[in-house]
Amino acid sequence: MKNSENNRASILWIDDEIELLRPHILYLEEKGYYLYKSSNGIDALKSIQKRNFDLILLDQVMPGIDGLSLLKEIKNLKPHVPVIIITKNEEEWLMDEIISERTAGYLTKPVNPSQIFSACKKILEEDYLFESKNTNLYLKNINELNLMINNASTIFDWCNIYKELVEWNLFLDNNSDENLLNPLYNQFEIANNNFNNFYIDNFPKWLSSDDDNRPIMSMDVIKKKIVPELNDSKKILFIIIDCLRLDQALTIIKPFQKNFDIDFGFHVSLIPSATPFSRNAIFSGSNLSEIQKNDQENWSKIIQLNSTMNVSEEDLLNKNLKRLLKRKINHKYFKINFANQGNKFYSHLKEYNNLDLISLVVNFIDLITHHRDSSNVIQDIISDENSYRSIVKTWFDNSWIPKTIKLAGEMGYKIFLTTDHGSVKVKKAIKIAGDKQTSSGIRFKYGNNLNCKRNEGLTIKKPEDYGLPYFTKNTNYIIAKNQNFFVYKTDYNNYVKKLNNSFQHGGISMEELLIPMIKLTHR
């Protein structure tokens, strides 16, 4: 923070022998700081009431109001102003007292001018110096990132590229300098263009390959991640937070680093990157085309009128576990849509200690994403990537989930946290034509005789090649690329106004298809 009058950081130094500190004060002024001086607590409080200071240096021993009493008064007036205590006393009780008052630090007398300068610089300029250093590092790494994007040839390359871009995005989040943000946004766009081509070229090959010769996909998650732990006699809490993105996952997982070992990986979602296709695949170990062919009972439930298309998850999971384990285990499945349901689950968690597997589906992010279109308030709250992350973190931190993870870890459960698909901010409307049989998705549609241009999306004429079901004899699909979204020609302008810059899923992008898979093991 800078002093508005002279564009230099302002420091108030409070010491009853302030005149003896003139060499220190001159040194700080030569370094560019603006110094205010006070020789007693009464005058200091008057100055603090009149002016805004960036930092306060406070002598611990003074006649009248002593340093610690004055510190409490300062914190009452200006709680966010950093205060450095300067003291002769090195006794531990005093150090504890100073630290407990949430000071910015303390220095032990005698102090020389360079010590004071170093302490001030650390507090006043640390964030700026850190940001400047890393910003320069990003600018130096642009060419290296471009090289990674141009040379990517495996899904593992793309996962690393995506994680690298997201981590830079998180770092530069609060930087308003468009000269820094624009190169990053451009790299995201170029990366997604290349990733689209890579995914479209390889997806049918992956589906037709043995599951040992492809990346871990939605239908492989239970087999590749959960079953090996169960076979090793581990208890598992498996949490799927619907529509969680990598950037959000990196943000919410940080507080667990103190008590958990965290293993961070990926799996690859199916297309369309939407819950009926990807989450049914996670629990069943099959894509929807295979369910349609091999499990008519559950397929009928999935496509029934007014069905959410995910009504059979528990039964699909039971069948998948039975097929993979060939033995009976104790497990329960829960779907949680509201906070009271989550709190109830947490309150009974200790009663589930005999379970081998607990599966939780948590709907929140997906709900606010869908309702954003119909609520001006939610549109204002989730206006960009940063605010989207912020609302997800606020919800997560104040939800029942962190305490559930903590308690489950203490109970000996390994926790797997993942999602079924992500979302992307859409910016380009694509006009399409459809009949009454066409589905209502924004980033994907299925129906009869649907088409889009190659640069706009993927047109699928043979659904079985992509593991997709037929809803009529001539069902075909269109799936949006990059930041495109589909709008009917009828009432086009109204829908563009409503949907542009909203977060949607179902299409082809790194944000929707590269899925974080996080394992937490309690220490």
Side-chain angles (χ1 to χ4, degrees), residues 145 148-149 152 155-170 184 187-188 191-192 195 244-250 264-267 385 389 421-424 509-516:
L145 277 167
M148 289 171 63
I149 291 167
I155 193 64
F156 307 105
D157 293 338
W158 282 112
C159 290
N160 289 331
I161 289 165
Y162 179 41
K163 191 166 186 284
E164 182 92 0
L165 289 170
V166 165
E167 286 174 341
W168 279 115
N169 196 180
L170 292 174
L184 179 65
Q187 283 194 311
F188 254 109
N192 259 325
F195 173 75
L244 180 72
R245 294 174 11 152
L246 173 62
D247 56 332
Q248 297 159 355
L250 288 171
F264 207 104
F266 287 90
H267 70 270
E385 310 277 357
R389 277 192 292 275
H421 59 78
S423 65
V424 70
S509 70
M510 296 184 296
E511 293 92 328
E512 294 162 288
L513 294 170
L514 298 183
I515 307 301

Side-chain angles (χ1 to χ4, degrees), residues 12-29 35-39 57-62 86 88 109-113 116:
L12 173 64
W13 198 332
I14 309 167
D15 194 304
D16 60 309
E17 297 179 333
I18 195 70
E19 293 304 321
L20 300 179
L21 298 170
R22 185 162 179 76
H24 301 67
I25 291 169
L26 287 172
Y27 187 77
L28 289 176
E29 288 178 335
L35 270 292
Y36 290 83
K37 299 163 289 224
S38 183
S39 59
L57 302 173
L58 174 60
D59 187 24
Q60 184 247 326
V61 179
M62 294 189 298
I86 302 173
K88 290 179 180 178
K109 291 184 178 180
V111 291
N112 60 47
I116 293 289

Side-chain angles (χ1 to χ4, degrees), residues 185-350:
Y185 297 155
N186 289 338
Q187 283 194 311
F188 254 109
E189 188 174 337
I190 293 167
N192 259 325
N193 275 326
N194 289 11
F195 173 75
N196 271 242
N197 296 330
F198 170 83
Y199 186 90
I200 290 169
D201 286 345
N202 286 278
F203 183 72
K205 301 174 190 174
W206 293 335
L207 285 183
S208 62
S209 297
D210 182 89
D211 57 10
D212 289 327
N213 295 309
R214 67 187 182 207
I216 297 176
M217 304 183 75
S218 300
M219 56 278 192
D220 304 319
V221 168
I222 297 292
K223 179 179 180 180
K224 294 291 188 71
K225 292 295 183 179
I226 305 302
V227 165
E229 300 285 350
L230 293 172
N231 283 334
D232 199 26
S233 300
K234 300 293 192 302
K235 297 192 298 184
I236 304 299
L237 173 61
F238 181 41
I239 305 174
I240 297 179
I241 300 179
D242 196 3
C243 205
L244 180 72
R245 294 174 11 152
L246 173 62
D247 56 332
Q248 297 159 355
L250 288 171
T251 302
I252 65 174
I253 210 69
K254 285 183 180 180
F256 296 103
Q257 292 174 339
K258 181 178 180 182
N259 298 312
F260 288 86
D261 293 323
I262 300 175
D263 181 16
F264 207 104
F266 287 90
H267 70 270
V268 183
S269 182
L270 307 185
I271 50 173
S273 50
T275 300
F277 302 89
S278 54
R279 207 164 74 207
N280 277 323
I282 288 174
F283 285 118
S284 69
S286 305
N287 57 55
L288 275 190
S289 177
E290 292 169 330
I291 294 174
Q292 184 181 35
K293 293 174 185 175
N294 304 323
D295 191 346
Q296 274 299 315
E297 180 184 355
N298 277 311
W299 176 249
S300 296
K301 293 178 184 178
I302 287 170
I303 63 169
Q304 68 183 320
L305 188 64
N306 298 323
S307 168
T308 63
M309 294 187 74
N310 285 84
V311 295
S312 292
E313 288 176 348
E314 185 172 10
D315 190 48
L316 292 170
L317 174 61
N318 290 338
K319 290 181 177 180
N320 194 19
L321 289 171
K322 185 178 180 179
R323 182 173 63 253
L324 293 171
L325 290 167
K326 296 180 174 55
R327 61 186 172 89
K328 188 175 181 179
I329 64 167
N330 294 319
H331 67 97
K332 280 187 176 292
Y333 163 95
F334 300 86
K335 184 179 289 187
I336 295 176
N337 295 319
F338 305 105
N340 62 331
Q341 296 172 328
N343 289 322
K344 182 180 179 180
F345 170 82
Y346 171 74
S347 69
H348 289 280
L349 182 56
K350 289 185 178 179

Side-chain angles (χ1 to χ4, degrees), residues 275-444:
T275 300
F277 302 89
S278 54
R279 207 164 74 207
N280 277 323
I282 288 174
F283 285 118
S284 69
S286 305
N287 57 55
L288 275 190
S289 177
E290 292 169 330
I291 294 174
Q292 184 181 35
K293 293 174 185 175
N294 304 323
D295 191 346
Q296 274 299 315
E297 180 184 355
N298 277 311
W299 176 249
S300 296
K301 293 178 184 178
I302 287 170
I303 63 169
Q304 68 183 320
L305 188 64
N306 298 323
S307 168
T308 63
M309 294 187 74
N310 285 84
V311 295
S312 292
E313 288 176 348
E314 185 172 10
D315 190 48
L316 292 170
L317 174 61
N318 290 338
K319 290 181 177 180
N320 194 19
L321 289 171
K322 185 178 180 179
R323 182 173 63 253
L324 293 171
L325 290 167
K326 296 180 174 55
R327 61 186 172 89
K328 188 175 181 179
I329 64 167
N330 294 319
H331 67 97
K332 280 187 176 292
Y333 163 95
F334 300 86
K335 184 179 289 187
I336 295 176
N337 295 319
F338 305 105
N340 62 331
Q341 296 172 328
N343 289 322
K344 182 180 179 180
F345 170 82
Y346 171 74
S347 69
H348 289 280
L349 182 56
K350 289 185 178 179
E351 299 170 19
Y352 305 141
N353 196 40
N354 66 325
L355 295 177
D356 301 298
L357 172 65
I358 303 171
S359 299
L360 288 180
V361 172
V362 183
N363 288 326
F364 173 78
I365 302 174
D366 197 52
L367 291 175
I368 62 168
T369 303
H370 284 302
H371 283 89
R372 181 192 181 278
D373 305 338
S374 56
S375 169
N376 291 331
V377 174
I378 298 179
Q379 287 180 25
D380 289 340
I381 293 173
I382 309 176
S383 58
D384 55 25
E385 310 277 357
N386 191 1
S387 59
Y388 193 15
R389 277 192 292 275
S390 179
I391 197 69
V392 169
K393 179 168 172 53
T394 300
W395 159 73
F396 184 88
D397 289 347
N398 292 281
S399 75
W400 51 274
I401 305 175
K403 59 185 181 182
T404 295
I405 290 175
K406 181 176 182 294
L407 178 57
E410 292 168 352
M411 290 167 59
Y413 279 87
K414 282 195 175 185
I415 295 95
F416 282 84
L417 177 64
T418 189
T419 187
D420 45 3
H421 59 78
S423 65
V424 70
K425 191 173 184 179
V426 296
K427 294 184 177 181
K428 185 178 180 182
I430 305 299
K431 286 184 181 180
I432 64 159
D435 57 27
K436 291 181 180 180
Q437 303 301 315
T438 304
S439 65
S440 59
I442 308 301
R443 290 272 288 164
F444 75 98

